[in-house]
Amino acid sequence: MASKLLASTLRQTLTKATAYSVTRQFSTAAAVSVAAAAPAPDSYEDPNGIIMKGVKIAGRPLYLDMQATTPVDPRVLDAMLPFFLSRYGNPHSRTHLFGWESDLAVENARSQISDLIGASPKEIIFTSGATESNNISIKGVMHFYKDKKRHVITTQTEHKCVLDSCRHLQQEGFEITYLPVGSDGIVDLKELRAAIRPDTGLISIMAVNNEIGVIQPMEEIGEICKEFKIPFHTDAAQALGKIPVDVEKWNVSLMSLSGHKIYGPKGVGALYLRRRPRIRVEPLINGGGQERGLRSGTLPTPLIVGFGSACEIAKKEMDYDHKRIMALQDRLLNGIREKIDGVVINGSVERRYAGNLNLSFAYVEGESLLMGLKEVAVSSGSACTSASLEPSYVLRALGVDEDMAHTSIRFGIGRFSTEAEIDRAVELTVKQVVKLREMSPLYEMFFFLLSLLTEKEGVNVWPGFPCLVTPEAYDWENNNFHLFDRVEADAASAFIALWLEKYNLSSQSQYEDVQQLKWNGDKQMVASVRNEVCKRLLIFALSEEAYLFHRRRIAESSHK
Amino acid sequence: MASPSRTELLGLYRSLLLTARECCDYNVREYAKRRTSDGFRQNRNLTDPDSIASVYREGKNQLAVAKRQAMVYSLYAPKVKSIMELDAAITTNTTN
């Protein structure tokens, strides 16, 4: 009866507009109703929209930043709430029901997590997040084995907490090798083998990168580690629940897991520590000896229960989510590519997790693009590093040009993303990029060049102007022009020589490459023009000349 | 446990969709609707009464969770709606 009353009241209140001062009635078993208002709103929200940091938007933005954090799944919240309300005991209290039931819940969560990664519950310890787990893994392992092992191998694209822990170890006297990655973000296995030394104590390589979403070849790396008997640590915060994770197949000894990346609560994570063969770590946090002495402190039962339940849900929903997210990623990418060109995907296209799409837009400035995309919650660079003005170190490690690195946007698609959101994001992004490109003088010049030359392919459009390129000839991925005929290669060379003389630059050695554009008989600009300055110069010179030529022609024709 | 009848299964489907519709948060609402229909569609060819009973039981549990969470989300709904909902409201207004 009470529940029917509650349900009908709720139905009435829910169908009205959500004004914040609607009173809601709770009925207890004794049918005492208490009127309560919703918590006071923050001052930046009002019914007309949100004003924050000088930006006004009509409603809450649509969320496409799943790599930074994910919303808590309602099923997870449902599992967590009783532990905030009535089952609030400390799991380490051994003497009463509150402690016993909390402990039972924690152990249950432990087994849910270990099920997802193919481990045993005894191998999981709870921490405050993946950052703490990474710290324990790297510092703890190396401090334990510091007498014999003095070397750590990691990659340049790791998460900041791993790189910072390694830097800390370096200050203590350890040696670290930061492996470079290819332009697709995948680590080279031969280089990994070459870097291994007799005193290597740990290899740390993350499974799925948080910025570019590439999946490293975990099984192959695991085999190498097994061969050389080196402990293998991986930061699987982004991989958990999204790609199949198996500690036996990957042969990992330590794995860092995070709660808030798989639709669980923030503030909880776990560390997997292999028992056979046993990996020993020195604890970072000392205290009452909880978690086998490796991480003392009262366990946050509600958060852990949430984490466990998120893992259980992820195990059931992994296939369904993955299929859906792949379809959404295709929709996003194709939607953007249909409308604008000059879009480059950062990172490998084949070996990537579908929910992470890192795009660079040529001839667009990144900060202004982000400022215009206020209705879409996306990020550029990772949340940890977005405070500084430098482009992301991950993109720099991939070898992406500075200007392309600045314009990179990371779209994160997740379980709760809808097709309508993706379409909206495509529309807003395209609109903003087009708007910015219209304002960009560099793009204007370049666009003039291309558009004018499309009038007559391969034929001199104007007498005296060497016809150098066709629009299809611009290879955005490698930032190259394909010169389509030998004659044009010579013409380009002569053209550049004249241009350099005009600006008194022919004596400078960095432009030598350009002055000696060679023809290798393959309808392609030679690799010798790989120097970035030369490439920029060539493009700039061509576009500038084309533009000036065109303006002169317009001026001449208007004078007639 | 006896296998649930067709009316019971359809009743469960309807209740899940109705509860999903009541949810305040745009993303959760869309997810609940989508997941319900996809879930039922996936299981529509089950013939074994035990498996039907077990998925029915699971569905009932999920319905209870959904009802509770719809209530919790409504208690803490933000004052300003999501952009996606506002747009839908605007487009329906303009078409009327």
Side-chain angles (χ1 to χ4, degrees), chain A residues 5-27:
Chain A
L5 187 64
L6 178 58
S8 67
T9 326
L10 215 54
R11 215 173 291 127
Q12 284 166 23
T13 53
L14 282 176
T15 45
K16 291 187 202 148
T18 52
Y20 81 93
S21 57
V22 171
T23 56
R24 287 171 178 84
Q25 296 189 312
F26 299 94
S27 37

Side-chain angles (χ1 to χ4, degrees), chain A residues 86-105:
Chain A
S86 53
R87 304 191 199 165
Y88 46 78
N90 184 326
H92 311 293
S93 307
R94 290 169 179 270
T95 54
H96 47 68
L97 175 72
F98 290 95
W100 301 333
E101 68 187 355
S102 295
D103 190 41
L104 197 63

